[in-house]
Amino acid sequence: MASRGRARGRAGRGAPAPGGGSNGGAAAGPVGGGATAAPAPRGRGRGRGAAAVADTPPTEQLAGMNIQAPAGVRERGNRFATPLFRPENVTDTRGSTGQKIDLLTNYFEINVRDNKPLYQYHVDFNPVVKADSVKLRKALVHRIECLRNRHLFDGMILYCPDRLNETEFVVQKKEGDRVTISMKLTQEVTTSSDQFIQLVNIIFNQIADRHMGLDRIRRDYFNPGKAVVISQHKVELWPGYEFSIRKYSHGVLLGLDVKHKIVRTDTVLSAMNQMVSSGRGGQQENIRRELMGAIVITKYNNKTYRIDDVIFNLSPKDVVQLRSGPISYVDYYKNNYNLTIRDLNQPLLLSIVKTKDPGTGERTEKQIHLVPEVCYMTGLTDAMRSNFRVMQDLAQYTKQDPEKKKRTLEEFRQTVESSTEARDLLQSWGLEVSPAILELDGRKLKPEQILMKNGQPFPCDARKESFDNITRKNFVIQSVDINNDYLIICTSRDVTHSNTFKDTCAKVGPACGINIQANGKVVSINSDRANDFIEAIRSNVTSNTKIVICLVPNDRKDRYDAIKKHCCIEQPIPSQVLVTKNLQPKKAMSVVTKVVLQMNAKLGGELWSINIPMQGVMFVGIDTYHDSGSNKSVGGFVASMNNACTRYFSKTTWQESKQELISQLQTCTREALQQYRKLNNAFPQRVIIFRDGVGDGQLLAVKEIELESIKKALHELPQMPNLVFTVVTKRIQQRFFQKQGNRLNNPGPGSIVDTKVTSDALFDFYLVPQSVGQGTVTPTHYNVLAFETNLQPDHLQQIAFKLCHVYFNWTGTIRVPAVCQYAHKLAFLVGNHLNKDPSPQLANYLYYL
């Protein structure tokens, strides 16, 4: 399988320089190849690792920045802006239920001296200096004595902390020519504006770049000089930080989190050769499939790139045309980085980089060619992730408990304070970082009780909010009568495993309250080829067969895909694929228990529930899956069909590649409402929607497109239901530490934060739904875009926590409401394995578990 070290977007954020060239065809040999000329880059880009031609000026952090957007338009590049998304009918967004707890968070206050504004000037040159000569323009402005080290300049717009007494300056070029620089004040940038926040971020980026010894890799900063080498696993861990300054209800805050960059010590070339020698990738297309989408790093400049293709008809011997003249890749690396390329027949890697012209703002795509021998793999492979020893060794460094994380955060602040240059830079802009991390109040909700058969309550573990012991009870709310009506297909070598599976099912099933016996039909096949499994399913499924179980020798994706496509599309029937190594004696009881629960859920059975004291409510989860190897994205839509949240309806939609927004939500909502009415003899009175997988930059589009599409479907009903629409975000920077005596611990499951690090422009809160055995727990962020209901914020916070308990694949809480996770599983199955809509006959089953 390909490495999981992948990027969501293209590599090469905001830095120029191509090389063009052929997209290439096949060449002789699996790895080697040689061919014609193609351009080559020099890796000097910032941000996400774009490269620049050798004599192209390096891109500065402010390059291309034009903060002042037209009235009413949020500039896409300003990721620190916070448009007003709070529903107009909501005045108080805070809850009150639960026990008060004292917390710290990974934020420092940024104090602004006297709330003094910054000043924005438009800069002109006489004689004219071309707008695309950004490097020259910056050099000339830097010669103005009163501005030295006290300005930010992108080539057109200049910012400084004080109003200038003079606005016209004469400077001299190196050649001796004199240039007059005129500056026109265009506006004062107040501390309450989004422009101010963006400028402060740039200032802190300069501090990290120039005064802390950190290298920027994409949006985060790392210290390769302090890399931890874990030689037994061939990886390095680069320690670093992720930070950003934003405006919150408590003021301007510096959010800081500890990061680690995983860099493998094997080059891409060695990985390619290993693919060939191991038989995993003897063909060029297989090598492409393994590498495409992976993120690599070039250690000679610490820049990252996303691999978009492997070009087998190009090699390091080929010639690139630079502004200074033609040069081969071999000579280029030797002359610029003193690197000797040894394999002259290796193919080249292609990375497609999106760049923005600093003068015109026009975005273009450039092609970057890289030599595999000097590129290193990043992230972890699937095999490494599944290796307990690898993950355990990495966790010693990457999973910091609250005490250690607090010390690491304070070290960052101390490093800034101990640098005279950094301290002077902050003082010149009137900025100061508070000496201690921010304190705030939180609330802890009561542990929940799971509802079993006949409504019998089962208490969750108060510390972990789990209910693992429930499987020892006769707990299942509604069992499907599986009996012996199941079909097992396996190779002749695995018949013994099939008997183990049947016997174990007959033991664990009735103990949980599920009727499954030990005499299901077993069909053995001669090989483990996908076609043999499919033919066996086609020939042996009868009208009495409730579910198909395929026992496979390994987790080959092509076979799994073929089985799922057949059972979800061509011959719709719930199916289970199980790797036989999981049926070893030590694992069998635990694994089969989970499989039997899954089987019951996939067939429409109800495992457990939770008390939600509302009637007539339909909960909806929405998520999107992007397949790096496809030109389409899949939207998953899952809606609850009963008050107990044990039955669901699902539907998928398709949109253009990487498009997060789902365009067919009106149809999905309409069909879900009709199915709800069919099962309940009435339409829902409330529709509560949780939308996962949306970035801050897409909130406006989600509100104007997705939310409006859903409202159109609701308006078709005789009476409009109450509507709540909440965006759920898992990948966030915020961390919370609970003060307990003289120690810091993770806040327990059910902890709520809705003060200080929330935004006045939003109706948002944070929920800690789980406990973690190692490291620091990550909360989940909820941002409410519509709240057309008589519910209170307290109610929504409690509902979100309750719904984290009813995901049937886990006897405990998960990070998001169950409907979100079901939507994710559905979109992943369809996008990664089926590549086509499943049969409507399965829409009322959890077949995607």
Side-chain angles (χ1 to χ4, degrees):
M1 299 295 288
S3 165
R4 290 181 184 245
R6 302 184 188 273
R8 286 187 171 268
R10 297 286 191 189
R13 180 181 178 87
S22 168
N23 283 329
V31 176
T36 57
R42 177 174 181 179
R44 290 295 300 161
R46 283 198 178 271
R48 299 197 180 194
V53 176
D55 41 9
T56 299
T59 304
E60 298 294 338
Q61 290 186 27
L62 200 60
M65 172 180 160
N66 183 8
I67 298 179
Q68 190 174 15
V73 176
R74 178 190 173 192
E75 188 181 12
R76 184 178 179 183
N78 185 2
R79 62 189 177 95
F80 309 103
T82 306
L84 182 62
F85 285 116
R86 177 186 289 192
E88 295 179 358
N89 60 315
V90 176
T91 55
D92 186 6
T93 63
R94 299 183 182 182
S96 58
T97 300
Q99 178 185 359
K100 178 181 174 295
I101 53 177
D102 297 324
L103 301 173
L104 298 176
T105 184
N106 57 328
Y107 277 79
F108 292 89
E109 291 183 67
I110 299 292
N111 300 313
V112 184
R113 188 174 60 232
D114 301 326
N115 285 324
K116 186 179 177 183
L118 306 179
Y119 297 89
Q120 176 182 303
Y121 291 86
H122 179 81
V123 182
D124 287 315
F125 297 83
N126 186 21
V128 173
V129 178
K130 291 182 179 179
D132 59 358
S133 300
V134 176
K135 186 176 181 180
L136 176 57
R137 283 175 164 242
K138 290 183 176 182
L140 293 173
V141 168
H142 188 70
R143 291 173 189 165
I144 301 174
E145 186 64 32
C146 66
L147 290 176
R148 191 161 297 174
N149 298 324
R150 288 171 54 83
H151 73 277
L152 298 172
F153 182 50
D154 68 353
M156 297 288 290
I157 306 297
L158 180 139
Y159 297 88
C160 57
D162 300 301
R163 187 163 186 160
L164 298 177
N165 295 323
E166 299 180 49
T167 58
E168 193 168 288
F169 306 90
V170 178
V171 298
Q172 201 168 21
K173 291 183 178 180
K174 287 183 179 179
E175 300 83 4
D177 298 334
R178 296 166 71 85
V179 177
T180 300
I181 301 177
S182 302
M183 301 190 184
K184 180 181 179 181
L185 180 66
T186 53
Q187 70 167 327
E188 293 184 2
V189 180
T190 63
T191 58
S192 61
S193 69
D194 293 324
Q195 291 168 270
F196 178 84
I197 300 300
Q198 190 171 5
L199 291 168
V200 174
N201 274 276
I202 293 169
I203 292 167
F204 272 85
N205 288 342
Q206 287 187 352
I207 290 173
D209 266 338
R210 302 173 185 177
H211 309 306
M212 296 185 66
L214 302 176
D215 286 348
R216 185 171 185 175
I217 299 178
R218 302 170 75 186
R219 286 182 176 172
D220 302 327
Y221 287 87
F222 297 92
N223 191 341
K226 293 186 177 180
V228 177
V229 180
I230 307 178
S231 55
Q232 67 269 32
H233 304 308
K234 297 183 179 181
V235 298
E236 293 178 353
L237 282 179
W238 293 6
Y241 300 96
E242 169 197 4
F243 65 84
S244 66
I245 294 93
R246 296 199 184 207
K247 188 169 51 180
Y248 294 92
S249 59
H250 191 67
V252 179
L253 302 178
L254 164 64
L256 184 66
D257 196 19
V258 179
K259 305 281 283 190
H260 289 86
K261 186 73 177 175
I262 297 176
V263 180
R264 307 219 292 272
T265 55
D266 55 327
T267 66
V268 177
L269 180 61
S270 63
M272 294 166 72
N273 287 329
Q274 188 177 2
M275 292 173 203
V276 176
S277 62
S278 65
R280 287 188 292 128
Q283 301 298 320
Q284 293 174 5
E285 283 307 311
N286 290 336
I287 292 178
R288 283 193 174 100
R289 192 179 303 115
E290 291 276 348
L291 292 179
M292 282 177 60
I295 302 298
V296 300
I297 190 167
T298 50
K299 290 187 178 180
Y300 52 82
N301 60 0
N302 291 334
K303 305 303 175 187
T304 57
Y305 305 84
R306 181 185 190 272
I307 300 178
D308 291 292
D309 203 352
V310 182
I311 311 301
F312 286 93
N313 68 343
L314 297 179
S315 78
K317 296 180 292 187
D318 290 315
V319 174
V320 57
Q321 183 66 45
L322 300 181
R323 294 178 184 174
S324 55
I327 188 172
S328 70
Y329 289 90
V330 174
D331 293 339
Y332 172 83
Y333 279 98
K334 185 65 176 177
N335 295 347
N336 288 277
Y337 300 108
N338 196 29
L339 294 174
T340 300
I341 305 297
R342 290 180 170 80
D343 187 338
L344 302 181
N345 293 318
Q346 62 187 297
L348 299 184
L349 307 175
L350 173 67
S351 180
I352 299 175
V353 176
K354 290 183 178 180
T355 64
K356 181 178 178 181
D357 187 285
T360 64
E362 181 181 352
R363 292 185 179 272
T364 58
E365 285 191 349
K366 308 276 188 172
Q367 292 187 352
I368 302 295
H369 292 96
L370 302 165
V371 177
E373 188 177 322
V374 296
C375 297
Y376 292 81
M377 306 294 290
T378 67
L380 300 174
T381 64
D382 289 334
M384 295 170 79
R385 289 181 184 276
S386 61
N387 186 317
F388 174 78
R389 178 60 62 184
V390 172
M391 301 308 294
Q392 185 182 52
D393 292 344
L394 291 176
Q396 296 179 30
Y397 304 96
T398 60
K399 294 192 178 294
Q400 298 183 346
D401 62 31
E403 289 279 358
K404 187 174 182 180
K405 180 157 285 193
K406 176 177 179 286
R407 290 195 298 270
T408 307
L409 299 178
E410 291 172 340
E411 287 172 5
F412 177 93
R413 198 266 177 193
Q414 291 165 3
T415 303
V416 174
E417 185 64 25
S418 62
S419 168
T420 303
E421 296 86 353
R423 196 168 59 249
D424 290 346
L425 180 61
L426 288 175
Q427 289 177 356
S428 69
W429 290 90
L431 303 174
E432 180 186 18
V433 183
S434 63
I437 61 176
L438 185 66
E439 298 185 8
L440 72 167
D441 294 334
R443 290 175 289 111
K444 173 76 165 59
L445 301 177
K446 291 181 180 179
E448 290 289 341
Q449 288 191 328
I450 298 302
L451 300 181
M452 304 189 297
K453 183 164 58 176
N454 301 323
Q456 183 180 355
F458 185 88
C460 290
D461 181 286
R463 184 175 61 87
K464 298 189 298 182
E465 200 70 18
S466 64
F467 41 98
D468 299 330
N469 292 338
I470 198 174
T471 57
R472 300 174 186 173
K473 311 284 184 181
N474 189 340
F475 73 94
V476 172
I477 293 175
Q478 181 176 335
S479 168
V480 175
D481 188 22
I482 302 175
N483 202 356
N484 292 309
D485 299 330
Y486 59 95
L487 171 66
I488 299 177
I489 299 173
C490 61
T491 65
S492 55
R493 297 187 302 273
D494 290 326
V495 170
T496 301
H497 286 120
S498 71
N499 293 329
T500 300
F501 179 79
K502 291 194 300 176
D503 293 342
T504 311
C505 283
K507 292 178 183 178
V508 301
C512 295
I514 298 172
N515 179 25
I516 182 169
Q517 303 302 318
N519 295 314
K521 183 178 180 180
V522 177
V523 175
S524 65
I525 54 179
N526 295 325
S527 78
D528 63 356
R529 293 181 302 178
N531 287 341
D532 288 352
F533 276 94
I534 292 170
E535 185 56 38
I537 296 170
R538 187 178 289 118
S539 303
N540 290 278
V541 168
T542 69
S543 58
N544 293 325
T545 306
K546 291 187 171 67
I547 191 167
V548 173
I549 300 101
C550 294
L551 303 183
V552 296
N554 52 51
D555 57 357
R556 260 180 42 201
K557 184 178 184 298
D558 60 333
R559 179 177 53 224
Y560 183 88
D561 291 356
I563 293 171
K564 285 298 181 180
K565 284 178 182 177
H566 183 82
C567 293
C568 294
I569 301 172
E570 298 167 17
Q571 189 178 0
I573 185 172
S575 60
Q576 192 82 32
V577 180
L578 181 62
V579 180
T580 53
K581 69 178 182 181
N582 292 320
L583 293 175
Q584 300 299 325
K586 290 183 179 180
K587 294 182 177 181
M589 189 69 72
S590 172
V591 169
V592 174
T593 299
K594 295 176 181 178
V595 170
V596 169
L597 294 179
Q598 269 197 7
M599 291 166 59
N600 189 71
K602 288 183 177 183
L603 289 167
E606 304 175 25
L607 299 183
W608 63 80
S609 181
I610 199 159
N611 180 37
I612 300 178
M614 289 193 303
Q615 300 296 313
V617 59
M618 183 174 81
F619 296 104
V620 177
I622 304 171
D623 200 2
T624 307
Y625 172 76
H626 308 294
D627 185 2
S628 60
S630 170
N631 61 354
K632 293 286 186 180
S633 294
V634 183
F637 180 99
V638 174
S640 65
M641 292 287 111
N642 62 353
N643 292 325
C645 289
T646 55
R647 292 185 174 275
Y648 298 90
F649 168 84
S650 65
K651 188 173 177 63
T652 54
T653 69
W654 295 84
Q655 50 268 357
E656 293 303 314
S657 179
K658 311 306 178 190
Q659 179 180 320
E660 186 66 49
L661 299 181
I662 299 176
S663 57
Q664 303 168 43
L665 282 181
Q666 184 175 357
T667 301
C668 293
T669 306
R670 182 187 296 122
E671 292 187 21
L673 291 169
Q674 293 299 330
Q675 183 65 21
Y676 188 96
R677 183 190 185 189
K678 181 179 178 181
L679 296 174
N680 297 279
N681 297 317
F683 289 112
Q685 301 167 27
R686 294 186 177 96
V687 177
I688 299 179
I689 300 170
F690 295 95
R691 174 64 159 102
D692 200 357
V694 177
D696 289 348
Q698 299 168 312
L699 289 176
L700 184 60
V702 167
K703 184 175 183 179
E704 293 180 346
I705 299 174
E706 292 190 351
L707 181 55
E708 289 305 312
S709 295
I710 291 169
K711 285 183 176 181
K712 287 180 181 178
L714 298 180
H715 279 299
E716 296 172 0
L717 303 184
Q719 183 175 352
M720 173 79 173
N722 292 348
L723 173 64
V724 177
F725 187 102
T726 304
V727 172
V728 182
T729 309
K730 301 184 294 292
R731 296 183 179 182
I732 60 175
Q733 186 183 53
Q734 288 78 5
R735 301 291 185 271
F736 302 111
F737 322 125
Q738 184 173 353
K739 294 194 291 184
Q740 293 180 321
N742 295 326
R743 286 194 55 80
L744 292 180
N745 293 308
N746 284 309
S751 296
I752 300 283
V753 174
D754 54 11
T755 63
K756 289 194 176 180
V757 290
T758 54
S759 171
D760 288 335
L762 305 175
F763 172 7
D764 64 330
F765 62 91
Y766 301 89
L767 166 65
V768 176
Q770 295 176 298
S771 66
V772 293
Q774 194 175 16
T776 307
V777 69
T778 302
T780 302
H781 183 239
Y782 291 79
N783 181 10
V784 184
L785 301 187
F787 202 64
E788 301 168 7
T789 177
N790 57 359
L791 297 176
Q792 299 300 313
D794 255 338
H795 299 144
L796 181 59
Q797 293 170 359
Q798 293 175 67
I799 287 169
F801 184 48
K802 286 175 179 290
L803 290 179
C804 293
H805 293 73
V806 287
Y807 178 60
F808 289 158
N809 256 2
W810 187 253
T811 51
T813 51
I814 59 174
R815 288 190 61 190
V816 295
V819 282
C820 279
Q821 188 64 16
Y822 287 137
H824 168 76
K825 293 285 286 187
L826 172 63
F828 180 80
L829 173 68
V830 174
N832 191 47
H833 300 293
L834 304 186
N835 304 121
K836 188 177 179 183
D837 282 328
S839 169
Q841 296 178 38
L842 298 174
N844 293 313
Y845 298 95
L846 294 172
Y847 63 92
Y848 38 83
L849 280 182

